[in-house]
Amino acid sequence: MKLQRKNRLRATALGALAVSGALVLTACGSDDNTGGGTAGTGEKTTAASNVDCGKAKGQLRASGSSAQKNAMDLWVKNYMAACSGVEINYNSSSSGEGIVAFNQGTVGFAGSDSALKPEEVADSKKMCKTGQGINLPMVGGPVAIGFKLEGVDKLTLDAPTLAKIFDSKIKKWNDPAIAKLNDGVDLPDKAIQAFHRSEDSGTTQNLGKYLGAAAPDDWKYEAEKKWPAPGGQAASGSSGVAAQVKQVDGAIGYFELSYAKSQSIPTVDINTGGAAPVQATSENASKAIAAAKIKGTGKDLALDLDYTTKAEGAYPLVLVTYEVVCDSGNKPETLDTVKSFLSYAASDDGQKILTDAGYAPIPAEINAKVRETIGSLS
Amino acid sequence: MASTTPIDMPPAPPAPPERAGLPKSSGRAGDKIFLGLSRGSGILLLVIMASIAVFLTYRSVLAISKDEGNFLTTFDWNPAGDPPVFGIAVLLFGTVVSSIIAMLIAVPIAVGIALFISHYAPRKLAAPIAYVVDLLAAVPSIVYGIWGALVLVPYLEGLNLWLDQFFGWTYIFEKTEVGVARSLFTVGILLAIMILPIVTSVSREVFLQVPKMNEEAALALGATRWEVIRLSVLPFGRSGIISASMLGLGRALGETMAVATVLSPNFLISLHLLNPGGGTFAQNIAANFGEADAFGRDALIASGLVLFVLTLLVNGAARLIIARRKEYSGANA
């Protein structure tokens, strides 16, 4: 009797496990923020024939930022199709984990959505021996401000208004500050529900940097990965924020553009003070990244983004992710593979496919320096 | 990563009446080998546990010694900040409050279901109900989390407004901030659903152990079905219900992914339970582990140790209660 019951329970548990396992797998799929982006890339694999495999061989492990996961997936797929015998594993855990793994010497390079901090550079000197860790800007992208407001499908905001909204200083959608920027839009008398990321995130940090630079009077917080303002509501992951914004009337939140695209969430046009409000698109983000200056010294190509740019059609709220490598002192067994793979990623082909995945290519001038630096890695 | 529950076993059955003592060795090699093996693995287990404890304590001490805030009273979690500041006050509050809400909801319902299955339902109905309740335990917590965020949260908004309107005077149910129901109250409801199966099935087993003679005697005296339950089933099962509840409490305290998905965390303590905000130990670890550097992880380990101590206390309390009512305990069913 007892045994039977056990078996039945076990069978039930197995069944439930299978069902819920499938559910979990599909749930994990929501991490995949390419949306329709990857669908069109199947035929591109063949176009990657001009990959220079060089002396690449064996296995290369890499780890880091999940913000560039979808770009990395495309690169790895195309690269491995062109270079047989090379295996590349990019573990899209998080920037923090990637840098820890890099400094412990377990990965060939790390992905990070912010440049190395001074203490991380100091750590990297132990691992690189003759050199130190440097940042190579490889993937750019717009951070979209998504919203849901019944009856409103187009909205323009500027940095000070955004800062006040996310700092809970503006509480209603029909606030005069918002109305002034949206002539002819019928704004309802509804509470604003601002959503932010519940865990530390490079996206939060970039939003903070943007607000701090473009609205210094209204956003006094340090740009950290942790959400600084006391009010508002939180959700976990870009997908979590996007899900809330899609669901809640009166909501506003920030996430990578691909989430907005794949879930058809309307995004805010930003009034930069230029001629016309700018829409969040890959092209517009590239124009803003073009205004960036290189702040790294030596071979380090960390970028200083110009968040206050008023250039025509430049979407200022952008995020740049880096690949972190040693300028010299890379491990000999992976050096050739790292150079060959990153050369492909920085090549015209490699950068071109970024647009399909909702990212923005790195502007040519900076990209030329990236390629030069990759060539000189040792 | 699912419900990382330190308590996974029902509290130990009461010790056997008398320890028989190790039988005198018959001198056979097999006996000696077996004795050595089992003694060895017992010792190995203790060594492993001790080294884990030492490691965790060491890492936590490292972190706490660099904490510029007060580890027990600071309302912030920012080990990556300059200076690093982090404290567990909000997490402790959130963990305890959400678990209490879960217990208040789950225990009466679970006891009710258990009584229904064991004493009221016809056999044909009892089996499927028991089966469905047990099935709830097999659903991974992340699924509860997604369900909670997508279904429960929107549906609870109506309840929240109603509670605010009619019970706002209690302070607890006064909603002072706008926002969807991503609150400690919602987390409590979700946790209640998640701990239902364990509380129900242990209580059910206990109720089935009530000596038939007691029940029949009561019936013979002319007691109604409810009186039988009140006079013989509940007193007999009380310690069983308590230990079942403690098991459920252990789960609620340690639940991670579901809470991380449903709660809108912030580092404020508020007794307005309907406002979004709050945090729990496990949720905080899940949310912050990924982006944390080595020091941040040490800080999270320190908070995990506090959760460990908390569950240890709960477990200890449960054992104490059960030991006091040893003769009644049905937990060994």
Side-chain angles (χ1 to χ4, degrees):
Chain A
M1 176 66 191
K2 185 123 190 173
L3 196 70
Q4 252 179 359
R5 204 178 66 90
K6 246 188 182 156
N7 277 338
R8 206 179 53 196
L9 256 179
R10 219 169 267 169
T12 321
L14 271 180
L17 211 67
V19 171
S20 41
L23 281 173
V24 169
L25 285 178
T26 42
C28 290
S30 68
D31 249 8
D32 178 13
N33 56 1
T34 44
T38 34
T41 54
E43 65 272 18
K44 286 217 167 53
T45 332
T46 46
S49 51
N50 43 0
V51 174
D52 179 13
C53 299
K55 285 179 279 180
K57 60 185 182 302
Q59 201 192 32
L60 171 63
R61 279 160 35 88
S63 168
S65 162
S66 56
Q68 54 172 306
K69 168 179 189 290
N70 298 304
M72 203 46 93
D73 285 352
L74 288 175
W75 287 337
V76 167
K77 192 172 114 196
N78 290 352
Y79 183 84
M80 280 170 50
C83 304
S84 56
V86 187
E87 198 191 325
I88 295 175
N89 275 319
Y90 182 80
N91 173 18
S92 59
S93 42
S94 71
S95 306
E97 238 163 89
I99 289 170
V100 168
F102 177 74
N103 284 341
Q104 287 171 347
T106 56
V107 293
F109 68 89
S112 172
D113 40 22
S114 53
L116 292 174
K117 287 187 269 187
E119 61 267 28
E120 288 166 343
V121 174
D123 270 353
S124 74
K125 284 180 181 157
K126 281 178 226 149
M127 209 282 286
C128 297
K129 300 219 171 71
T130 57
Q132 62 171 47
I134 56 168
N135 307 284
L136 301 173
M138 210 61 109
V139 185
V143 177
I145 310 283
F147 67 97
K148 175 171 178 173
L149 195 54
E150 252 158 52
V152 179
D153 47 11
K154 203 159 166 44
L155 197 65
T156 304
L157 296 172
D158 58 6
T161 319
L162 274 175
K164 283 180 208 148
I165 288 175
F166 280 114
D167 200 13
S168 317
K169 297 268 160 53
I170 295 181
K171 293 177 191 290
K172 292 272 189 182
W173 277 109
N174 59 356
D175 191 279
I178 303 177
K180 208 173 70 188
L181 293 162
N182 293 278
D183 252 354
V185 179
D186 188 20
L187 294 162
D189 177 25
K190 221 172 259 167
I192 297 180
Q193 306 206 14
F195 284 91
H196 55 81
R197 294 281 291 274
S198 60
E199 74 283 2
D200 291 1
S201 153
T203 320
T204 303
Q205 192 176 25
N206 273 275
L207 179 75
K209 280 184 191 163
Y210 164 71
L211 293 176
D217 294 336
D218 297 301
W219 192 259
K220 308 242 181 234
Y221 304 103
E222 290 280 324
E224 288 178 23
K225 292 191 165 186
K226 177 180 150 57
W227 180 256
Q233 301 169 63
S236 109
S238 283
S239 52
V241 174
Q244 288 302 317
V245 170
K246 183 149 179 78
Q247 209 174 60
V248 178
D249 191 24
I252 187 166
Y254 58 92
F255 29 80
E256 286 79 23
L257 178 65
S258 44
Y259 291 96
K261 272 189 176 165
S262 61
Q263 303 203 39
S264 352
I265 298 170
T267 60
V268 170
D269 294 351
I270 293 190
N271 182 342
T272 59
V278 198
Q279 210 188 342
T281 63
S282 299
E283 298 77 41
N284 293 350
S286 278
K287 284 181 201 155
I289 299 172
K293 290 185 190 58
I294 292 169
K295 69 172 174 198
T297 51
K299 288 181 178 175
D300 184 20
L301 297 177
L303 293 183
D304 192 7
L305 292 163
D306 180 11
Y307 294 107
T308 54
T309 179
K310 290 178 184 173
E312 174 88 33
Y315 183 82
L317 179 41
V318 289
L319 175 129
V320 170
T321 68
Y322 300 94
E323 313 308 335
V324 175
V325 293
C326 297
D327 54 358
S328 73
N330 284 291
K331 271 185 281 181
E333 61 269 28
T334 55
L335 176 65
D336 289 327
T337 319
V338 168
K339 281 172 82 166
S340 156
F341 176 70
L342 293 184
S343 298
Y344 164 64
S347 71
D348 291 334
D349 280 348
Q351 292 288 306
K352 212 189 295 166
I353 58 175
L354 290 179
T355 319
D356 300 329
Y359 296 106
I362 300 295
E365 197 193 325
I366 299 167
N367 186 244
K369 291 205 177 108
V370 172
R371 290 187 214 177
E372 193 189 314
T373 309
I374 294 170
S376 72
L377 295 178
S378 59
Chain B
M1 204 60 194
S3 37
T4 38
T5 315
I7 315 174
D8 262 335
M9 300 271 297
E18 229 176 294
R19 227 182 126 99
L22 290 172
K24 290 272 180 296
S25 169
S26 60
R28 273 184 232 147
D31 276 351
K32 280 186 181 152
I33 293 172
F34 187 72
L35 179 70
L37 272 179
S38 40
R39 187 177 284 161
S41 33
I43 292 171
L44 186 68
L45 185 75
L46 287 179
V47 170
I48 291 173
M49 289 298 291
S51 42
I52 291 176
V54 167
F55 169 78
L56 290 182
T57 318
Y58 170 69
R59 298 285 293 263
S60 334
V61 168
L62 275 189
I64 295 174
S65 62
K66 284 188 212 153
D67 185 2
E68 292 290 319
N70 185 318
F71 184 64
L72 294 178
T73 57
T74 302
F75 284 19
D76 196 6
W77 193 272
N78 198 2
D82 183 28
V85 167
F86 55 91
I88 54 155
V90 175
L91 305 177
L92 186 64
F93 175 81
T95 307
V96 170
V97 166
S98 60
S99 304
I100 289 176
I101 299 171
M103 298 293 287
L104 288 179
I105 299 171
V107 171
I109 295 180
V111 170
I113 298 175
L115 278 178
F116 179 73
I117 293 172
S118 61
H119 285 84
Y120 283 93
R123 275 202 91 86
K124 267 189 192 158
L125 198 58
I129 292 181
Y131 174 83
V132 167
V133 172
D134 285 348
L135 202 62
L136 282 178
V139 178
S141 57
I142 182 72
V143 173
Y144 277 109
I146 294 165
W147 174 79
L150 296 181
V151 180
L152 189 64
V153 166
Y155 271 90
L156 276 182
E157 270 175 76
L159 177 68
N160 279 2
L161 290 177
W162 184 82
L163 281 172
D164 180 32
Q165 192 179 348
F166 293 102
F167 295 93
W169 51 269
T170 54
Y171 188 85
I172 287 177
F173 291 123
E174 189 186 359
K175 193 170 160 70
T176 56
E177 273 175 44
V178 286
V180 277
R182 296 165 68 82
S183 58
L184 283 178
F185 184 66
T186 307
V187 168
I189 293 177
L190 189 66
L191 289 178
I193 299 172
M194 295 178 72
I195 64 176
L196 257 186
I198 183 85
V199 184
T200 307
S201 71
V202 174
S203 311
R204 190 187 64 212
E205 295 285 350
V206 175
F207 294 153
L208 288 174
Q209 300 299 318
V210 176
K212 270 279 163 294
M213 275 209 318
N214 284 16
E215 290 183 39
E216 278 163 10
L219 281 173
L221 290 172
T224 62
R225 181 95 58 113
W226 168 240
E227 280 163 342
V228 171
I229 287 172
R230 204 160 47 94
L231 294 172
S232 70
V233 177
L234 287 182
F236 181 87
R238 191 175 298 147
S239 64
I241 297 173
I242 292 170
S243 58
S245 311
M246 290 297 166
L247 279 181
L249 181 57
R251 296 215 151 171
L253 289 174
E255 178 45 45
T256 307
M257 290 322 287
V259 181
T261 321
V262 167
L263 191 65
S264 157
N266 67 11
F267 268 84
L268 299 169
I269 286 184
S270 161
L271 265 177
H272 291 299
L273 293 182
L274 299 184
N275 286 349
T280 74
F281 284 112
Q283 168 269 327
N284 189 50
I285 292 174
N288 289 319
F289 194 78
E291 281 292 330
D293 52 15
F295 174 67
R297 288 181 183 188
D298 288 353
L300 290 172
I301 286 174
S303 79
L305 256 191
V306 179
L307 175 61
F308 179 70
V309 171
L310 185 67
T311 29
L312 212 66
L313 290 179
V314 167
N315 204 352
R319 274 166 190 266
L320 216 71
I321 294 169
I322 291 156
R324 225 180 263 167
R325 304 167 160 271
K326 210 183 276 179
E327 67 277 23
Y328 274 141
S329 175
N332 52 345

